[in-house]
Amino acid sequence: VLQVTLASLLLGTGYISYSLYRESHPKAQQPQTETFPDGRPRKTLVILGSGWGSVSLLKSLDTTLYNVIVISPRNYFLFTPFLPSTPVGTVDLKSIVEPMRSIVRRSQGEVKYVEAEATDIDPITKEIKIEENHGEIKTSLKYDYLVVAVGSQPTTFGIPGVKEHSSFLKEVSDAKKIREKILENLELASNLSEDDPKRKRLLSFVVVGGGPTGVEFAAELKDYVDQDLTKWMPKLSKEIRVTLVEGTPNILGSFDKKLIKYAEDTFNEEHIDLQLRTRVKSVNCENVQALNPNGELIDIPYGVLVWATGNAPREVTKNLMSKLEEQTSRRGLLIDEKLRLLGAENSIYAIGDCTFYPGLFPTAQVAHQEAEYLSRVFKKLNKIDQLEWQVQKTKANENITEKDTKTLDKNIDKLPTKIENFKYNHLGALAYIGAEKAVADLSMFGTSKQYLTGSFTFLFYKSAYLAMCLSFRNRILVTLDWAKVYFFGRDSSV
Ligand code: FAD
Ligand code: NAI
């Protein structure tokens, strides 16, 4: 037993050291060039975004086949599944980001990264306008193929006061803002007398939207109060109220009924105030005004307000939609079964949250699978380009007969149909619901379903997402964060 344990430890340490060394010592890259060795022009593939779609594409794409340029205002990848854990310090923000520079440097062929925002896409001239340094530098660039993976922005449904008074939970800056607000409110409240109504309001933490984002964040918040603040601020922690407001009759609407019931029961046991069938109508600096199940307008006072009611298209996406008459949906870019943008099928592909395709939800899982599919498409497109180039060269040969030309044309016509349609393979959904419990809606072998709940599911949730982290560095950092919380509790400083 000792020998086996020692051997496993040695092997494990060796594997970790090798993986870390490989990540931090990238190999030399094949540089970008105008042409391939046979004289064929190398096409330019522009990828917009540095999120799940773009980075998954970069990881699976053969970057030696194109001049790849990535444009994104965010110079890092963010592992969103652990974002709800960060405002309360269960996981550190630095542990779930990966710099774009290290991602692009690790690909086989050189990839250029430009920290800029795409503001305008012209599908006719195949030109993109970009703005660097918050609009200070404006330039444009041409593409042969474009992949739009700009994600989405939080929706407010135009509800008055939301933008001014609430925090979203989408980006690193949002998580930082929520953290600062929570810590500030705790200190402010502790300086007020117990009967001061302001103290009660400051300690009212309200989350609007009972989708996975709202549920996971409310759960993390309650864990923080129950597991840490009870030790450091015992009296104050008892006065903190976590409220989750949801417009429909249930939270986690996309999950199975059994899992919804389990999650709602857990929330009730944990004393998270669930306000179901309660639709927010407006927000001011102290209260959320909502229509309750009896049709009455009620005030819910808040000290911290987190808004998580889903996604809306970004400006650049709306701009692109307005240019193509085939783009008739307001929910996102319409694509075909090969992920080609309707109206610009020959050159633009769109993946992830910026798209709308019936049956595909805006999740990392979908964006990742779409990206892997596109990497195969681009391999085939390169092959087609190569054959077309060879045909052109053959046709330029004076001795070629008309019959030969027709045969070549026929072969070319057949090629694009060889690209198979995208097929989404739903592996399931997981959500953390607090008190070290999670729910899992797993698809087994394509059709049969498996529903898991409880603490074992929480371990499964943790290991599944840990395995999905982008780099080995991220995996180690997240594991260390969990260990830190286990031994010392969550950090309560900004
Ligand atoms: P994103 O990952 O959002 O990336 C978009 C990128 O485009 C960003 O880098 C952005 O900076 C960039 N960009 C924006 N505007 C421009 C522009 N004008 N020009 C160029 N670039 C631009 N899904 C799951 O499957 N499992 C989960 O557990 C899960 N947890 C989540 C938790 C939270 C808190 C959130 C908010 C989402 C979660 N999701 C989860 C959903 C998942 O994160 C998204 O579906 C996924 O990020 C979509 O990938 P994307 O590439 O389309 O967009
Ligand atoms: P969502 O769209 O899934 O849920 C938003 C919720 O807000 C809905 O339940 C809706 O009824 C509610 N709502 C809307 N307007 C309201 C109002 N005025 N008042 C009260 N309630 C209102 O959005 P979410 O949670 O941000 O998720 C976005 C996407 O990211 C989803 O596809 C989700 O599956 C994915 N995601 C997945 C996670 C996971 O798998 N663990 C975690 C987080 C997000």
Side-chain angles (χ1 to χ4, degrees):
V1 170
L2 192 68
Q3 274 173 341
V4 171
T5 317
L6 276 174
S8 322
L9 267 174
L10 261 172
L11 273 175
T13 319
Y15 175 67
I16 292 174
S17 314
Y18 171 69
S19 305
L20 282 174
Y21 178 83
R22 224 184 38 182
E23 266 180 16
S24 50
H25 293 78
K27 289 188 193 148
Q29 286 178 310
Q30 185 175 310
Q32 297 196 349
T33 51
E34 291 286 302
T35 54
F36 286 97
D38 64 357
R40 174 167 65 102
R42 196 187 292 269
K43 293 199 166 174
T44 299
L45 167 61
V46 175
I47 303 171
L48 299 183
S50 53
W52 274 98
S54 312
V55 168
S56 304
L57 177 58
L58 276 177
K59 282 197 90 179
S60 48
L61 180 75
D62 182 349
T63 50
T64 61
L65 302 179
Y66 295 92
N67 285 330
V68 183
I69 303 174
V70 180
I71 294 165
S72 176
R74 198 178 74 189
N75 65 10
Y76 54 85
F77 167 79
L78 172 64
F79 187 78
T80 46
F82 289 145
L83 190 61
S85 306
T86 57
V88 295
T90 313
V91 171
D92 196 89
L93 272 168
K94 284 276 173 205
S95 308
I96 59 164
V97 299
E98 186 68 14
M100 280 310 283
R101 288 289 165 200
S102 100
I103 295 168
V104 299
R105 185 60 189 82
R106 273 186 248 142
S107 55
Q108 208 186 334
E110 185 192 1
V111 172
K112 284 190 181 147
Y113 167 67
V114 184
E115 187 179 314
E117 189 178 343
T119 50
D120 186 66
I121 299 163
D122 189 332
I124 312 282
T125 59
K126 297 191 181 177
E127 197 169 12
I128 310 167
K129 286 196 180 123
I130 60 171
E131 290 188 4
E132 293 168 56
N133 211 1
H134 307 286
E136 232 172 68
I137 307 167
K138 293 184 184 174
T139 45
S140 64
L141 79 160
K142 289 256 189 185
Y143 63 86
D144 295 301
Y145 295 118
L146 173 68
V147 176
V148 185
V150 295
S152 56
Q153 58 182 343
T155 179
T156 64
F157 296 108
I159 295 171
V162 176
K163 269 197 189 129
E164 296 82 349
H165 304 294
S166 60
S167 307
F168 301 112
L169 186 50
K170 186 92 181 155
E171 297 293 342
V172 163
S173 53
D174 299 328
K176 280 186 184 160
K177 191 174 147 194
I178 298 170
R179 180 171 178 79
E180 277 168 21
K181 188 82 185 131
I182 293 171
L183 297 177
E184 185 187 270
N185 277 23
L186 292 175
E187 295 304 337
L188 282 175
S190 71
N191 292 337
L192 298 173
S193 67
E194 277 173 49
D195 53 0
D196 191 327
K198 192 177 171 195
R199 175 168 161 129
K200 195 173 173 198
R201 185 179 63 75
L202 286 173
L203 296 177
S204 166
F205 299 163
V206 177
V207 180
V208 180
T213 305
V215 165
E216 290 192 340
F217 178 64
E220 287 279 357
L221 201 50
K222 195 68 172 76
D223 281 358
Y224 175 50
V225 175
D226 293 347
Q227 294 166 9
D228 295 279
L229 289 180
T230 42
K231 284 184 231 156
W232 314 121
M233 298 172 127
K235 218 165 169 194
L236 193 102
S237 67
K238 288 197 185 78
E239 296 169 50
I240 296 172
R241 197 178 170 86
V242 177
T243 306
L244 181 62
V245 184
E246 166 56 44
T248 67
N250 296 107
I251 56 169
L252 294 179
S254 58
F255 282 67
D256 181 78
K257 273 186 199 143
K258 277 186 235 161
L259 301 182
I260 291 176
K261 177 153 186 349
Y262 184 84
E264 289 178 354
D265 288 348
T266 305
F267 267 34
N268 289 329
E269 278 163 28
E270 293 299 309
H271 303 291
I272 294 176
D273 178 21
L274 261 186
Q275 305 236 3
L276 301 173
R277 292 193 179 92
T278 306
R279 192 154 280 275
V280 175
K281 291 289 168 192
S282 69
V283 175
N284 62 34
C285 58
E286 293 189 348
N287 294 298
V288 164
Q289 291 180 319
L291 214 52
N292 75 5
N294 303 326
E296 297 151 352
L297 207 55
I298 54 162
D299 273 349
I300 307 172
Y302 73 87
V304 177
L305 175 62
V306 174
W307 191 265
T309 62
N311 301 336
R314 289 188 189 276
E315 292 313 313
V316 65
T317 311
K318 285 193 245 174
N319 188 349
L320 178 58
M321 289 185 316
S322 69
K323 290 185 179 177
L324 300 163
E325 59 182 44
E326 292 82 352
Q327 294 294 326
T328 49
S329 168
R330 288 196 307 172
R331 297 171 71 173
L333 295 169
L334 294 177
I335 46 174
D336 67 9
E337 62 288 346
K338 290 186 171 63
L339 310 184
R340 297 175 301 192
L341 186 75
L342 296 193
E345 286 87 347
N346 287 334
S347 55
I348 305 184
Y349 293 80
I351 54 175
D353 285 9
C354 63
T355 63
F356 174 66
Y357 191 92
L360 292 182
F361 290 99
T363 64
Q365 199 184 150
V366 169
H368 176 79
Q369 289 187 26
E370 288 180 331
E372 288 201 325
Y373 163 84
L374 269 197
S375 71
R376 295 195 295 276
V377 169
F378 281 117
K379 202 167 190 166
K380 284 190 179 166
L381 284 177
N382 175 63
K383 198 117 215 126
I384 293 165
D385 283 343
Q386 193 180 11
L387 285 168
E388 278 177 345
W389 167 255
Q390 280 165 0
V391 169
Q392 268 177 26
K393 265 176 65 177
T394 318
K395 277 184 180 174
N397 184 338
E398 282 169 9
N399 300 329
I400 193 166
T401 64
E402 203 176 313
K403 198 178 158 206
D404 286 344
T405 312
K406 274 187 185 157
T407 317
L408 281 171
D409 283 343
K410 261 187 197 163
N411 287 345
I412 289 278
D413 285 347
K414 274 185 212 154
L415 279 169
T417 54
K418 284 188 185 160
I419 295 175
E420 80 279 17
N421 290 347
F422 169 69
K423 260 200 204 120
Y424 174 61
N425 176 22
H426 184 64
L427 301 172
L430 287 159
Y432 180 56
I433 56 168
E436 307 199 334
K437 291 176 187 168
V439 289
D441 202 332
L442 303 177
S443 294
M444 308 294 272
F445 313 113
T447 48
S448 73
K449 288 260 184 183
Q450 195 78 37
Y451 305 114
L452 303 175
T453 54
S455 304
F456 167 76
T457 314
F458 175 54
L459 287 179
F460 175 70
Y461 162 94
K462 274 182 143 180
S463 28
Y465 278 122
L466 198 62
M468 276 183 238
C469 280
L470 194 67
S471 66
F472 220 82
R473 189 189 71 98
N474 288 149
R475 261 171 239 145
I476 289 179
L477 291 178
V478 170
T479 311
L480 288 177
D481 288 342
W482 286 336
K484 238 168 28 186
V485 168
Y486 182 79
F487 289 111
F488 309 116
R490 292 167 182 84
D491 179 9
S492 288
S493 58
V494 177

